[in-house]
Amino acid sequence: QVQLVESGGGLVQPGGSLSLSCAASGNIFSIDRMGWSRQAPGKQRELVATVSRGGRANYADSLKGRFTISRDDAKNTVYLQMNSLKPEGTAVYFCNAQILTITANVPREREVWGPGTLFTVSS
């Protein structure tokens, strides 16, 4: 079993900062790309940022300069630092990862999603 668990949600005022983390656990051989997506109330899920195993990051155009994604491979954890938050940033944030497992000498790579964590940007 492999799972991702996000943490760090809550309430933050506009203009504030918040950091989310997401830890992968289970029978993990390696993790390739990791990322964050979000789903605001009444809207479709959208990509926030991704980071490759080598640390190359990509961001949604609207979030560049305010959000920073990073990872700690020793901890199988991905982070999202969010600054200058706006009310439209209110959403459930999901992490995901491409995880390679090897069971009975059989490799399998799959994309795993966390259950999501909610944070609200409001005064």
Side-chain angles (χ1 to χ4, degrees):
Q1 286 287 64
V2 175
Q3 64 175 2
L4 299 177
V5 179
E6 303 96 340
S7 61
L11 175 66
V12 63
Q13 293 187 340
S17 299
L18 189 70
S19 179
L20 302 178
S21 63
C22 173
S25 62
N27 180 28
I28 298 170
F29 183 79
S30 65
I31 302 178
D32 196 353
R33 187 184 63 197
M34 305 183 82
W36 290 92
S37 298
R38 66 183 182 182
Q39 187 166 16
K43 295 187 177 181
Q44 291 186 331
R45 190 176 301 189
E46 62 176 354
L47 178 70
V48 172
T50 62
V51 59
S52 69
R53 190 190 303 183
R56 181 173 181 174
N58 287 290
Y59 299 92
D61 287 342
S62 62
L63 303 176
K64 289 179 180 177
R66 295 193 296 117
F67 286 22
T68 302
I69 188 171
S70 61
R71 61 190 286 170
D72 184 337
D73 290 333
K75 298 180 179 179
N76 290 333
T77 298
V78 62
Y79 305 94
L80 185 68
Q81 175 66 40
M82 302 173 286
N83 301 321
S84 303
L85 286 164
K86 304 176 181 180
E88 54 264 39
T90 295
V92 177
Y93 283 69
F94 301 89
C95 69
N96 70 288
Q98 291 179 315
I99 296 177
L100 176 66
T101 61
I102 300 179
T103 303
N105 294 320
V106 177
R108 178 187 177 193
E109 186 174 68
R110 54 185 167 169
E111 188 166 36
V112 181
W113 287 83
T117 185
L118 171 67
F119 82 85
T120 302
V121 184
S122 175
S123 56

